[in-house]
Amino acid sequence: MEYSAGNVDIAVVGAGHAGCEAALAAARLGMKTLLFSMNLDSIANMPCNPNIGGTGKGHLVREIDALGGEMAKCADKTLIQSKTLNSAKGPAVYSLRAQVDRRWYQAEMKNTLECQDNLFIKQAEVVEIITGDSCRVTGVKTHTGAVYSCKAVILTTGTYLKGKIHVGDISYSGGPDGLFPADRLSDSLREKGIELLRFKTGTPARLNGRSIDLSKLTEQPGDEVIVPFSFENHVIEREQISCWLTYTNSTTHEIIRSNLHRSPLYGGMIEGIGPRYCPSVEDKIVRFADKEHHQVFVEPMGLGTQEVYLQGMSSSLPEDVQTEMIRSLPGLENAHIMRSGYAIEYDCIDPIQLKLSLESKKIPGLFSAGQINGSSGYEEAAAQGLIAGINAVNMIRGREPLILDRSQAYIGVLIDDLVTKGTSEPYRIMTSRSEYRLLLRQDNADLRLTPKGYEAGLISEERYKRFLDKKDKIEEEIERLRNTYLPPSEEVNALLTSLGSTNIRSGISIAELLRRPEITYRALEAVDVDRPGHLRRDDRRKYDPVAEQVEISVKYEGYIKRQMIQVEQYRKMERKHIPENIDYSAIHGLRLEARQKLAKQRPVSVGQASRISGVSPADISVLLIYLSSRPECADD
Amino acid sequence: MMFNGKGSFGDFDTIAAISTPYGTGGVGIVRISGPGAFGTAARIFKGRRDIKEIKSHTVSHGKIVDPADDRIIDDVLLTKMDGPHTFTGEDVIEINCHGGIVVLKNVLSLVLRQGVRAAGPGEFTRRAFINGRMDLAQAEAVIDLINAKTDEGSRAAAAQLEGRLSERIASARKSLIQLIARIEAVVEYPEHDIEDITGDIVYEGVLKIRDELQEISEGFERGRLLREGITAAIIGKPNAGKSSLLNVLAGSSRAIVTDIPGTTRDIIEEYINIKGIPVRFLDTAGIRQTQDPVESIGVERARGAALSADLVIIVLDGQTGLLPEDLDIIRETAEKKRIVLINKTDVADEERVQTMKKRLRESGDPPVVVTSMVEGTGVDELAETIERLFVSGDIGLNNEVIITNVRHKQLIDEAISSLEEAEAAHTGGLPLDFATIDIKQSAEFLGQITGESVTEEVVNEIFSQFCIGK
C-alpha cells in the first residue's frame, strides 16, 4: 500500500559520507531535508579502512572544510593518530592523514545530523524515484509504501545498489559490512533511462589485535604535532596510538598462488570492474610476480575495541585460505579473524550522464554523489555530497550551480574527471590528476574556497571575518618581507653560515633570502627584528597557518606564477561556451566517434569537449572553426 | 562502409588536383578525393573492368575518354582506393598520366567538368588531418613537402611524413612520462616500499632526455636550409665575372652578361640546387665608386644584400690581382660565411693567382676557389665548399630526423628549456615536486606536436609499473 507521507524540499538517499554532507549542506541552507538510511546505526560508517585523508584525499577534506562541510571537523574530533605524508617532497604534495576511531566518528556525525535544524532522519529503504512532467523529480517511495514529495533527490547509495558479496566461491546478495543491500532502486533508475555500470571493490579481514605478536612488527607512530584538518581548529592535543607494519613472504605468496582457482576474480564469478589502486593481495601477487614482499599495515579500528584492519590484504579468497595466508605473516601466526575479507559488486551510474553540477542531464532535480557516481573513497564521496547538496539548493532557488573548475580545487578535478571522461573503474583522487597542483595545495584550500563557501551560504559571517583577517595578515607579512632589508652584518652572516648558506655582501630583502632552499621563515626570526608578535615562535602553538602560507608563497613564488600562467591558458578554452542547442551532425569534418560522443555528452565548453575521450585535437580544431563562424558563440 | 560517399561523412564535396609524386617523377597524377570520386572516374575511364568492379587498392590500365565527344585524352594507370584507408580518409582515385603537363591539365579539366571542385593548396592534407589519417606533425610535414624546393627538401619532408620525427619525439616523451610516473608513484603512495626516487636519479634521467631533444632540435638548422634555402650574395668589383658565375651555375643566360663594367645595375635572383640545398643567389651590381646615380643605388643594394645574406661569394678578377677595393670587401665581410673566387684563370697569370692566394691567407684566410667561368672550371669545388660551410660535412642526409617546421622547433626548444628548469630546481635544492612540474610541462610541449595529454598517461603508467594500493 502506498501512502502520502508528506512534503520536504530535498530527499537524500543514503547516509554515508556523501549523504551526510549533502543533507547537512541542504539543511544548513534552509531546506527542509529528509535523510534516509537503511540502518541508522550505519550512518557515516567506514566499511573499509579506518582512516581519513592521504595523498589527494587529505586535500579534499581540507577543501570540504573550506566550503563549510563537516568531514574535517568530525575527523579532528575523533582522530587517534595524525601524519603529514610527503613532508620532504614539496608543499603541493604534503598530505594529511589520520587514523580515526570509527564508532566515535559515526556517533559524532550522527549527533551532528540530529542537532541540525531542518534535517530529518528516517530509517527506510528508498525503492523508487517518482518523476512528473518532463521527467522532473517529484518524490521518492520507501519499501513500506511511504511516498514523500520533494523538489530534489540526492542519491548517495554507496555500494548498496544490488550489492553482491563474494568470499571465495561463496556469493550472496548483501551490502557492505554485513548490512542489507538495496535491490529495488537500481530497477527504478533503469526504468527512467539511466545507464548503470557494475563496479567491484573489496576489503581485507579484521582481526582481534590481542592475537597479534606486536614484537615481530615495526611500530608506525603518529607525528609529534597533530595538524588539524579543519581551518577552524588550531591545536589538537591528544594521545595518539600507533599502527604496525609487517610483510608478506614467499609462504604467503605460495598459499595464494595455489588457491587462485578458488578466487571469484580469477574464477570468473565477478563481472564488476575493480580499482587498480586498491588491488586485492591476490591481484598484486599475480601482476607483480617478482616482488618478494608486500607491506601489510595493521591499523586500529578505534579506542574502545581490539579490532584491527589489515591494510594491504584485501582479498576475496575463501575464508580458509584467508586464515592460512594471514597466519603466514610474521607476528600474525596465531591471528584470530573476526570478520573475513570480501569483494562487493554494486551498481553505479555512468557519471557521463551528469552535469558538472552533479544533476542528472536526463532527470531534472535528480542529483547523485559518491560511489554511485563511480568514485571510491570516503573523501571523494563527501566532496561530491557537499557539492550535490549545495547545487540541489541552487537548483530549487533558481540560482547558478556551484561548479569548481580544475584550476580551483581537487573537487573540481574529481567531478570534471568523472563527468567529462567517465571512468572504467572506481575512481580515486590523486595529486597527479591535477594539472595545477602547486596551486591546489591543502594549506591554501581556505584561500581558494572559503569565499565560495561564503557565497553559497555555508560559511558564517563570523568565520568569514576570521578568514579575511587571516588573509590580510598573510598579505601584510608577505609585503613586509619584500620590503624589509637585512644588512650584511656580522650577526646576519653568522646566522647564514650556521644554516649552511652563503654570506651576503650587501643588503637583501627577507623575501629574497627566503627563496634560498636552506633558509626557513622560522630560522630568520632572530635577525628579523620587526616581525609581528603573532608570528613569533610560540611553543604552545607549534603550527602556524599564517607563517606557513607566507613561507610557501614567498619561497615558491616563481613556480606559482608559472602555474598561474598555465591556468590562464586553460581558462581560455573553458570560457569558449558551446551553445546548448548545437547540432553536431551539422558540423562538417567531425569524425563519427567524436560526433557521437559530443552529441551524447553535450559538453558546456570547448575545454570540456577536449577532455572527452574519443575527441581528438583535430575534432577540437573543427569545432573551434565551426564556433568561430557563429557570432553568438563569442567568448564570455 | 563509413567513408564511401553517402555515409555519414558525405558532407565533404569531391575535390581534384594535379599532384606530383615525391621526388622528381616524370609521371604526373591527377588525384580525386571525396564521395563522388568513383562516380567521376566511372564516367571518364574506359578499362577492362568498370570502376565499381575494380578492387580497392589495385591499379588498372585504361584510357581517359571525354564522354562528350569520345575523344581519347591519355593512356593511363588508374588506382582505386576505398576510404577510410586512404591518404585523405575518403574514397580516392589516382590517375597516372604519361603525356606531360599539358595532358595532365586536360585530364584535370575533364574531371572538373564532371562537377568536381579544384582542390585548394593543402586541401587533401587538411582532409587527411580532419579525418584522423595523420597527426599534426605528419600533416605539417606534408605541407612542407608541397612547398619543398629541391629534392633533399622533399626527402626530409617525406621522412618526417613517415613519422620519424613523431617517432623520436614520442620516444623522448615516453621516457619523460616514465620518469614522472616513478616520481608520482612515490608521492601518491608515500608509505609503500617502492624504491624511493632521489633527486639525483631524476636529474640523470632529465639530462639524458634533454640531450636527445637537443639533438633533434639541432636538426632544425639543417631542416631550415632544406626548406627555405640559403641566400648567397655574389659580390665583387665590376666585370669580375659575377653574372657569368650565376649563368654557369644556373645553366642559362639569366643575368645579362656583357663586358661593359657595371652592366648589372640591380639585384638578380636565382634559385639553384647546390648539393641538395636550395640556394638563392643574388647577383649584385659591382661594387665601385661611381658617378652614375642609377649604378650607385645598385652598389648600395649590393652591400646591403651582402650584409643580410647567409653566404657571401666574393668574385675577384685573376687578371688584375688584389685591388684595394677587393680588400675593402674582404674586410667588410669578415664576420660572414664567405667564399672568395679567383676568376678568369683561363686568361690570368698563374704567378699572379698564387700571389693573390698568399695575400688572401694573410687577410683573414677565407676559403678560396680558383675558377674560370669561360671554361667552367672550379664550379664543382665551389659547390662542395658551400656544402661544407653549411652542413659541416658530417651530416648525412639519410638517417637523421630533420625538423623543417618552425612550430615543432619552438615546441622542442620549450621542452628543452623546461627540462633545464627542472635541472635548475634540482641543483637549487628545491623539493622533487618542483622538478616534476617542469618535467610534466616538458612532456606537455612534446605532446602538442603529436596532440596528447599527460595526466591520464601518468596515472596508467603508475599502475602498470608499480605494485601499490591498499
Side-chain angles (χ1 to χ4, degrees):
Chain A
M1 261 304 281
E2 259 183 44
Y3 74 99
S4 172
N7 275 309
V8 294
D9 293 316
I10 295 176
V12 180
V13 184
H17 304 284
C20 289
E21 294 290 351
L24 281 172
R28 285 169 178 168
L29 293 173
M31 290 284 156
K32 188 174 178 190
T33 305
L34 182 55
L35 173 63
F36 291 97
S37 174
M38 287 170 68
N39 183 335
L40 296 190
D41 295 322
S42 65
I43 284 177
N45 188 22
M46 300 186 195
C48 200
N49 51 332
N51 63 48
I52 284 182
T55 50
K57 290 167 174 275
H59 293 69
L60 285 176
V61 179
R62 282 241 154 151
E63 292 182 352
I64 291 166
D65 184 67
L67 287 167
E70 197 60 30
M71 181 174 246
K73 290 199 175 87
C74 197
D76 282 347
K77 278 184 205 156
T78 60
L79 62 85
I80 53 179
Q81 191 205 79
S82 161
K83 269 193 164 184
T84 299
L85 306 173
N86 282 333
S87 52
K89 297 212 167 67
V93 293
Y94 294 170
S95 302
L96 293 176
R97 193 201 50 206
Q99 299 302 135
V100 168
D101 183 310
R102 164 172 165 266
R103 286 292 177 219
W104 188 10
Y105 185 92
Q106 285 186 269
E108 279 294 341
M109 187 60 90
K110 183 160 174 273
N111 190 48
T112 305
L113 298 170
E114 288 159 356
C115 293
Q116 178 62 48
D117 290 344
N118 302 322
L119 179 53
F120 304 90
I121 304 165
K122 183 75 69 187
Q123 178 162 304
E125 179 188 347
V126 169
V127 294
E128 197 183 321
I129 306 295
I130 302 166
T131 54
D133 294 347
S134 60
C135 292
R136 176 166 284 282
V137 159
T138 56
V140 293
K141 190 169 101 181
T142 71
H143 66 311
T144 54
V147 173
Y148 294 88
S149 305
C150 62
K151 298 170 188 148
V153 171
I154 305 174
L155 297 177
T156 51
T157 56
T159 61
Y160 284 76
L161 294 186
K162 286 213 196 299
K164 190 174 184 188
I165 304 289
H166 296 265
V167 183
D169 41 13
I170 310 291
S171 73
Y172 52 89
S173 165
D177 232 356
L179 293 153
F180 289 104
D183 279 334
R184 291 163 65 188
L185 189 56
S186 288
D187 299 331
S188 169
L189 292 174
R190 208 173 261 126
E191 274 163 27
K192 307 274 178 222
I194 290 178
E195 287 172 39
L196 300 180
L197 302 172
R198 191 92 175 137
F199 277 3
K200 170 244 154 187
T201 187
T203 195
R206 312 294 194 277
L207 316 181
N208 187 325
R210 291 181 59 241
S211 65
I212 299 175
D213 178 2
L214 291 179
S215 68
K216 292 185 181 165
L217 278 66
T218 319
E219 187 169 5
Q220 307 273 302
D223 289 349
E224 204 178 309
V225 178
I226 297 176
V227 179
F229 280 110
S230 173
F231 289 99
E232 293 279 90
N233 295 329
H234 297 294
V235 185
I236 298 177
E237 278 176 6
R238 191 172 304 156
E239 203 178 320
Q240 301 186 53
I241 58 163
S242 293
C243 296
W244 300 83
L245 172 63
T246 185
Y247 290 90
T248 63
N249 52 47
S250 53
T251 314
T252 326
H253 298 189
E254 193 41 50
I255 294 165
I256 293 168
R257 258 186 227 112
S258 55
N259 284 288
L260 271 183
H261 60 283
R262 297 179 64 198
S263 148
L265 265 180
Y266 290 91
M269 272 87 85
I270 293 184
E271 50 188 69
I273 303 156
R276 283 175 299 178
Y277 50 79
C278 197
S280 60
V281 65
E282 48 268 33
D283 232 4
K284 294 190 213 177
I285 277 149
V286 170
R287 290 188 47 221
F288 298 93
D290 51 345
K291 210 162 182 244
E292 289 167 13
H293 306 284
H294 293 276
Q295 290 169 313
V296 176
F297 289 93
V298 174
E299 303 180 7
M301 299 282 286
L303 297 177
T305 176
Q306 300 304 318
E307 225 176 325
V308 295
Y309 170 91
L310 272 193
Q311 197 218 104
M313 289 293 274
S314 179
S315 178
S316 54
L317 284 165
E319 264 180 354
D320 55 312
V321 182
Q322 288 191 32
T323 307
E324 203 186 338
M325 74 183 190
I326 286 169
R327 289 187 176 161
S328 72
L329 304 182
L332 274 65
E333 294 84 354
N334 298 307
H336 170 63
I337 299 179
M338 295 173 67
R339 311 185 202 210
S340 297
Y342 62 86
I344 181 167
E345 280 187 285
Y346 56 97
D347 286 348
C348 57
I349 293 174
D350 185 345
I352 64 170
Q353 301 167 95
L354 303 174
K355 299 181 189 172
L356 288 164
S357 63
L358 295 179
E359 187 179 10
S360 162
K361 288 174 189 167
K362 196 170 246 164
I363 303 178
L366 181 67
F367 290 78
S368 55
Q371 276 166 308
I372 191 176
N373 286 350
S375 68
S376 160
Y378 314 141
E379 304 80 356
E380 287 86 344
Q384 292 171 62
L386 177 60
I387 298 295
I390 293 171
N391 284 336
V393 178
N394 283 337
M395 188 271 303
I396 291 171
R397 296 200 168 136
R399 288 174 49 168
E400 283 297 304
L402 172 64
I403 292 169
L404 301 171
D405 76 28
R406 303 182 70 88
S407 68
Q408 291 169 326
Y410 276 95
I411 297 177
V413 174
L414 163 73
I415 294 175
D416 182 60
D417 275 351
L418 285 171
V419 167
T420 306
K421 298 179 189 166
T423 183
S424 55
E425 63 177 340
Y427 175 101
R428 180 209 198 274
I429 196 69
M430 295 196 281
T431 61
S432 44
R433 294 200 196 265
S434 161
E435 295 85 351
Y436 317 107
R437 72 178 175 196
L438 191 56
L439 304 180
L440 304 189
R441 301 186 312 273
Q442 48 98 28
D443 62 80
N444 69 0
D446 58 338
L447 293 170
R448 291 184 278 123
L449 299 175
T450 293
K452 302 234 172 235
Y454 177 70
E455 217 174 286
L458 287 175
I459 299 289
S460 67
E461 287 295 338
E462 198 192 352
R463 176 171 175 184
Y464 191 56
K465 254 176 87 179
R466 281 198 301 275
F467 162 77
L468 291 178
D469 180 54
K470 174 185 172 187
K471 202 173 157 216
D472 286 346
K473 280 189 179 137
I474 294 166
E475 281 161 11
E476 277 165 24
E477 179 63 357
I478 291 173
E479 205 46 38
R480 191 189 67 83
L481 295 184
R482 284 200 183 118
N483 296 316
T484 306
Y485 284 76
L486 291 180
S489 66
E490 243 171 67
E491 190 198 0
V492 169
N493 277 331
L495 177 70
L496 291 179
T497 308
S498 74
L499 296 170
S501 196
T502 46
N503 285 0
I504 53 173
R505 271 189 241 130
S506 57
I508 184 170
S509 75
I510 300 181
E512 193 59 39
L513 211 49
L514 202 47
R515 289 199 187 101
R516 299 187 179 179
E518 65 279 8
I519 307 261
T520 63
Y521 179 74
R522 283 273 175 253
L524 292 177
E525 187 171 314
V527 292
D528 184 9
V529 289
D530 297 328
R531 183 171 298 184
H534 69 90
L535 289 170
R536 294 195 164 268
R537 187 184 305 271
D538 180 346
D539 286 335
R540 284 173 300 123
R541 198 190 55 219
K542 289 165 183 153
Y543 159 82
D544 188 290
V546 173
E548 179 188 35
Q549 212 45 240
V550 167
E551 178 155 20
I552 292 171
S553 309
V554 171
K555 222 172 181 46
Y556 307 117
E557 193 185 6
Y559 271 86
I560 291 171
K561 278 196 178 142
R562 273 165 51 197
Q563 288 229 310
M564 283 164 73
I565 293 168
Q566 292 171 12
V567 166
E568 266 319 299
Q569 295 294 323
Y570 151 81
R571 290 215 173 122
K572 265 187 206 157
M573 285 305 213
E574 300 304 301
R575 279 197 291 264
K576 288 198 191 299
H577 279 268
I578 301 176
E580 267 183 55
N581 60 356
I582 191 168
D583 177 8
Y584 288 104
S585 65
I587 303 179
H588 290 227
L590 278 182
R591 290 170 316 117
L592 182 63
E593 186 193 3
R595 185 171 301 185
Q596 287 169 343
K597 287 262 173 77
L598 290 166
K600 185 173 176 192
Q601 291 202 35
R602 310 205 72 77
V604 294
S605 68
V606 175
Q608 195 188 10
S610 71
R611 291 189 294 277
I612 294 174
S613 76
V615 176
S616 72
D619 297 318
I620 293 301
S621 325
V622 171
L623 187 60
L624 281 171
I625 291 166
Y626 175 80
L627 290 176
S628 65
S629 67
R630 293 181 43 155
E632 71 272 23
C633 301
D635 299 1
D636 58 20
Chain B
M1 183 169 300
M2 199 156 66
F3 286 88
N4 60 359
K6 291 165 291 295
S8 37
F9 279 77
D11 38 22
F12 276 160
D13 57 355
T14 303
I15 53 173
I18 297 172
S19 29
T20 21
Y22 313 148
T24 53
V27 188
I29 294 176
V30 173
R31 178 189 277 156
I32 314 170
S33 177
F38 296 166
T40 305
R43 282 196 292 281
I44 62 169
F45 178 74
K46 297 280 172 281
R48 221 154 45 83
R49 281 171 219 254
D50 281 351
I51 290 288
K52 57 175 182 240
E53 285 158 22
I54 297 175
K55 278 198 213 141
S56 182
H57 292 80
T58 58
V59 180
S60 311
H61 178 247
K63 290 179 169 48
I64 295 295
V65 179
D66 187 339
D69 52 9
D70 288 332
R71 190 166 49 93
I72 296 170
I73 295 179
D74 197 13
D75 196 44
V76 300
L77 293 174
L78 177 141
T79 313
K80 175 187 167 186
M81 288 169 279
D82 284 346
H85 302 292
T86 62
F87 178 73
T88 54
E90 302 173 321
D91 288 347
V92 167
I93 290 285
E94 286 185 358
I95 305 170
N96 280 261
C97 306
H98 297 90
I101 189 70
V102 177
V103 174
L104 272 172
K105 280 184 177 161
N106 287 341
V107 173
L108 178 64
S109 63
L110 176 61
V111 168
L112 299 183
R113 282 203 299 277
Q114 311 305 311
V116 172
R117 182 169 62 79
E123 199 172 354
F124 288 116
T125 308
R126 200 175 66 87
R127 287 188 180 195
F129 174 60
I130 288 173
N131 287 331
R133 296 296 298 162
M134 50 175 68
D135 68 22
L136 213 50
Q138 288 172 327
E140 285 167 340
V142 174
I143 300 291
D144 282 348
L145 187 73
I146 293 165
N147 300 331
K149 293 183 179 81
T150 72
D151 305 354
E152 288 294 350
S154 352
R155 251 181 274 148
Q160 192 174 359
L161 173 68
E162 283 154 18
R164 218 186 274 147
L165 173 67
S166 303
E167 225 170 77
R168 265 185 87 177
I169 299 279
S171 124
R173 196 168 162 278
K174 177 86 186 156
S175 310
L176 285 176
I177 301 250
Q178 281 168 349
L179 196 59
I180 300 164
R182 268 192 82 178
I183 303 171
E184 299 290 43
V186 175
V187 165
E188 300 289 353
Y189 295 92
E191 292 186 320
H192 280 67
D193 52 349
I194 320 162
E195 185 197 349
D196 205 359
I197 185 159
T198 61
D200 288 334
I201 298 175
V202 174
Y203 184 63
E204 250 168 59
V206 164
L207 284 188
K208 223 176 118 207
I209 301 163
R210 194 206 60 189
D211 288 349
E212 163 83 15
L213 290 176
Q214 200 80 54
E215 210 173 280
I216 300 176
S217 172
E218 275 157 15
F220 178 76
E221 195 42 36
R222 184 163 169 71
R224 188 183 71 84
L225 294 184
L226 292 178
R227 184 183 140 94
E228 291 164 11
I230 55 174
T231 306
I234 307 174
I235 61 173
K237 63 185 167 50
N239 206 22
K242 300 183 297 296
S243 300
S244 306
L245 169 64
L246 188 58
N247 286 346
V248 169
L249 287 170
S252 70
S253 276
R254 171 71 176 76
I256 317 152
V257 188
T258 65
D259 50 8
I260 308 160
T263 309
T264 306
R265 292 190 172 180
D266 211 331
I267 294 171
I268 292 173
E269 280 189 37
E270 188 78 66
Y271 266 103
I272 298 165
N273 180 348
I274 304 285
K275 304 255 173 196
I277 308 167
V279 182
R280 180 171 151 248
F281 283 98
L282 307 176
D283 181 15
T284 65
I287 294 177
R288 63 168 182 180
Q289 297 297 324
T290 174
Q291 302 303 315
D292 181 339
V294 179
E295 194 184 335
S296 69
I297 292 169
V299 170
E300 269 321 296
R301 286 200 185 158
R303 284 180 193 275
L307 289 176
S308 62
D310 299 309
L311 170 69
V312 181
I313 298 174
I314 304 161
V315 185
L316 303 181
D317 188 338
Q319 284 179 299
T320 58
L322 270 177
L323 303 176
E325 51 255 57
D326 294 333
L327 287 170
D328 284 348
I329 295 168
I330 289 164
R331 236 191 339 269
E332 277 173 36
T333 57
E335 300 296 313
K336 308 218 53 112
K337 285 192 176 173
R338 56 189 176 157
I339 298 170
V340 176
L341 297 192
I342 303 176
N343 194 25
K344 302 194 185 173
T345 51
D346 51 317
V347 290
D349 176 51
E350 172 65 23
E351 208 168 304
R352 174 162 284 162
V353 171
Q354 287 309 323
T355 318
M356 287 174 79
K357 276 186 167 177
K358 187 162 164 273
R359 286 193 56 197
L360 282 169
R361 268 199 296 280
E362 288 157 6
S363 33
D365 200 18
V368 176
V369 177
V370 178
T371 57
S372 161
M373 291 310 142
V374 176
E375 293 173 352
T377 55
V379 178
D380 288 347
E381 195 188 337
L382 172 64
E384 279 158 24
T385 312
I386 293 173
E387 189 193 21
R388 185 158 46 80
L389 278 178
F390 283 88
V391 297
S392 58
D394 52 352
I395 303 177
L397 288 180
N398 303 322
N399 299 316
E400 61 181 313
V401 171
I402 292 169
I403 321 167
T404 60
N405 183 294
V406 183
R407 193 181 74 92
H408 296 165
K409 157 84 172 162
Q410 274 168 356
L411 286 168
I412 292 168
D413 286 348
E414 303 242 39
I416 292 171
S417 70
S418 290
L419 291 181
E420 281 164 355
E421 300 265 12
E423 289 168 46
H426 171 72
T427 45
L430 285 170
L432 207 47
D433 194 33
F434 293 93
T436 317
I437 291 172
D438 294 316
I439 300 170
K440 273 191 181 170
Q441 182 73 52
S442 181
E444 204 71 66
F445 282 127
L446 297 184
Q448 283 177 34
I449 298 179
T450 44
E452 292 150 294
S453 97
V454 173
T455 322
E456 204 54 33
E457 282 171 76
V458 169
V459 171
N460 290 336
E461 193 69 27
I462 291 175
F463 291 119
S464 68
Q465 290 209 358
F466 303 98
C467 178
I468 39 188
K470 61 186 183 191

